[in-house]
Amino acid sequence: MKKHNFSAGPCILPQEVLQKASEAILNFNEDNLSLVEISHRSPSFVAVMEKGRQLALELLGLENKGYKALFLQGGASLEFLMVAYNLLEKKAAYLNTGTWSDKAIKEAKAFGEIIEVGSSKDKGFSYIPKEYTLPEDIDYFHCTSNNTIAGTQMKTFPNTNAPLVCDMSSDIFSRQLDFEKFDLIYAGAQKNMGPAGATLIVIKEEILGKVTRHIPSMLNYQTHIDKDSMFNTPSVFAVYVATLTLQWLKDLGGIPFIEKVNDKKAALLYAEIDRNPLFEGVVAKEDRSTMNATFVLTDPSLKDTFDTLWKEAGINGLHGHRSVGGYRASMYNALPLYSVQVLVNTMQTLEKTIK
Ligand SMILES: *Cc1c(COP(=O)(O)O)cnc(C)c1O
């Protein structure tokens, strides 16, 4: 039986997507060739790339609004650098809400002045700073919508005239937001979209071309826009699987549908974390992530017993990030509500076991 996969990334994908993807590996489009052995310039693959780019914009409600979608490589980590390379002339503002924001700041510092307008680093990134003001004269504001490691999530985004740049790696396509507010969204595929190897970039084209430095072709968003995301060989398999996942989401009813499911899953698990005296959450309640729920045992000596129980229940990937420990249940789009119920039952079994 398939495991209940709570892995933080790479993570669970819809079973029917994996089925289709495995068929395409052997025989794509019934052409008697594998998806991974045909030219990326073949009409079959170009159609995949175009479909993926179009679905991304459609699901976000950003069609015909000046945005372009790209599937690049290098992960979200390369975007930390590319964002600054393409947009930072003098000064940018960053909100530091977690390990990934912290890394984005570190990369951007090589290109100009970085103002950290708020940070929760002092308290282990256990909350989202809210009382901050953005300077007027910034080239852009950068934030991380969901903090995959700490388990916090931004519920609101500031209004600013400067371009709004957001790392949405771990919650893109999971909830409805006013996406038009954002000028550049990026997300590594492996959290909510597909296998590792592709990064989705959604960018409002008008924010480009404002910096004076020379940008190497591969790191220049304009290059990739001009070449329809085919400047060099894209990661064909990752793009194909991401496209299948986006189609799966669209067929279900898009973001409005999946948001309701995600809210139910999160509500179910957090209710148990709060009810069960053996567990406690580790981040501010109002900032809890619907994607990655972090929690600890109130009695650490129960660790081995609990770990045995959830493994026996067929649960995978519940350990917290190596930098923080504890537990983390990642409940991405493809995780069924039933898997969360199994986890909750296991937490209740622990309670009964020790009584
Ligand atoms: C996983 C993650 C990253 C890093 O992604 P890579 O694709 O491994 O570079 C960056 N930001 C967030 C929010 C993440 O969850």
Side-chain angles (χ1 to χ4, degrees):
M1 204 194 75
K2 178 96 180 180
K3 289 198 169 164
H4 301 288
N5 192 359
F6 287 88
S7 175
C11 69
I12 186 166
L13 291 171
Q15 196 62 19
E16 61 199 80
V17 164
L18 295 177
Q19 182 64 39
K20 263 198 170 166
S22 66
E23 286 159 15
I25 286 285
L26 292 173
N27 185 358
F28 180 52
N29 278 353
E30 314 212 335
D31 275 342
N32 292 316
L33 288 166
S34 168
L35 167 78
V36 297
E37 61 178 4
I38 58 170
S39 168
H40 60 291
R41 310 260 175 223
S42 65
S44 308
F45 184 75
V46 171
V48 169
M49 178 60 100
E50 285 315 303
K51 181 89 193 163
R53 297 175 69 203
Q54 182 257 323
L55 278 170
L57 293 180
E58 187 185 334
L59 286 163
L60 299 172
L62 294 178
E63 279 176 307
N64 304 319
K65 291 185 174 148
Y67 289 84
K68 290 285 161 69
L70 304 169
F71 284 104
L72 304 182
Q73 300 180 55
S77 299
L78 185 62
E79 296 314 301
F80 299 161
L81 167 95
M82 266 176 85
V83 163
Y85 224 134
N86 283 263
L87 302 179
L88 180 50
E89 183 74 2
K90 287 203 177 72
K91 194 196 280 186
Y94 277 67
L95 187 63
N96 193 354
T97 54
T99 311
W100 298 116
S101 318
D102 210 35
K103 290 191 177 181
I105 291 168
K106 183 165 161 267
E107 292 303 307
K109 277 185 176 161
F111 298 90
E113 187 189 345
I114 300 300
I115 316 277
E116 215 176 281
V117 290
S119 172
S120 48
K121 202 171 183 174
D122 56 331
K123 288 192 180 151
F125 297 121
S126 59
Y127 69 102
I128 302 283
K130 290 168 200 83
E131 305 295 315
Y132 58 89
T133 45
L134 300 180
E136 284 291 320
D137 57 340
I138 48 171
D139 297 322
Y140 64 88
F141 169 63
H142 180 285
C143 57
T144 311
S145 55
N146 185 67
N147 300 285
T148 328
I149 295 174
T152 61
Q153 188 173 38
M154 291 177 77
K155 308 293 174 184
T156 59
F157 295 85
N159 293 316
T160 163
N161 292 327
L164 181 52
V165 178
C166 190
D167 176 357
M168 289 197 192
S169 291
S170 50
D171 69 351
I172 193 162
F173 303 119
S174 74
R175 58 170 170 162
Q176 286 183 280
L177 289 174
D178 179 7
F179 293 105
E180 271 188 79
K181 222 176 159 168
F182 300 87
D183 297 275
L184 198 169
I185 295 166
Y186 62 89
Q190 72 276 17
K191 307 275 164 57
N192 220 4
M193 226 183 322
T199 318
L200 175 69
I201 287 96
V202 174
I203 187 167
K204 201 165 199 183
E205 201 170 356
E206 68 183 27
I207 66 168
L208 295 173
K210 310 246 163 89
V211 293
T212 49
R213 74 173 61 84
H214 169 74
I215 307 171
S217 314
M218 261 304 271
L219 299 181
N220 194 332
Y221 289 121
Q222 197 66 57
T223 308
H224 297 286
I225 290 174
D226 293 345
K227 298 290 181 190
D228 294 327
S229 204
M230 288 273 211
F231 172 66
N232 71 321
T233 319
S235 47
V236 290
F237 183 68
V239 172
Y240 179 63
V241 182
T243 299
L244 291 179
T245 308
L246 295 180
Q247 185 66 51
W248 166 85
L249 179 56
K250 183 184 164 181
D251 294 344
L252 281 178
I255 298 176
F257 172 85
I258 210 75
E259 179 179 45
K260 289 198 195 100
V261 181
N262 289 334
D263 285 347
K264 264 193 201 157
K265 291 186 287 182
L268 179 62
L269 180 55
Y270 284 121
E272 181 62 16
I273 290 170
D274 291 340
R275 184 210 63 81
N276 193 322
L278 300 182
F279 295 95
E280 63 185 356
V282 288
V283 301
K285 278 191 183 176
E286 73 273 17
D287 299 327
R288 282 172 164 178
S289 167
T290 52
M291 291 281 99
N292 314 95
T294 47
F295 55 98
V296 293
L297 283 161
T298 46
D299 175 0
S301 74
L302 293 174
K303 183 179 183 308
D304 289 346
T305 314
F306 183 54
D307 289 356
T308 305
L309 278 178
W310 59 260
K311 282 172 194 166
E312 278 174 6
I315 288 171
N316 172 66
L318 203 64
H319 287 296
H321 189 269
R322 55 194 151 76
S323 64
V324 294
Y327 296 98
R328 171 175 53 172
S330 297
M331 301 175 281
Y332 296 116
N333 286 354
L335 185 86
L337 179 64
Y338 175 66
S339 291
V340 180
Q341 188 61 58
V342 170
L343 173 57
V344 166
N345 293 348
T346 307
M347 294 162 82
Q348 293 175 354
T349 304
L350 181 71
E351 196 184 11
K352 286 177 205 134
T353 308
I354 63 143
K355 262 186 190 154

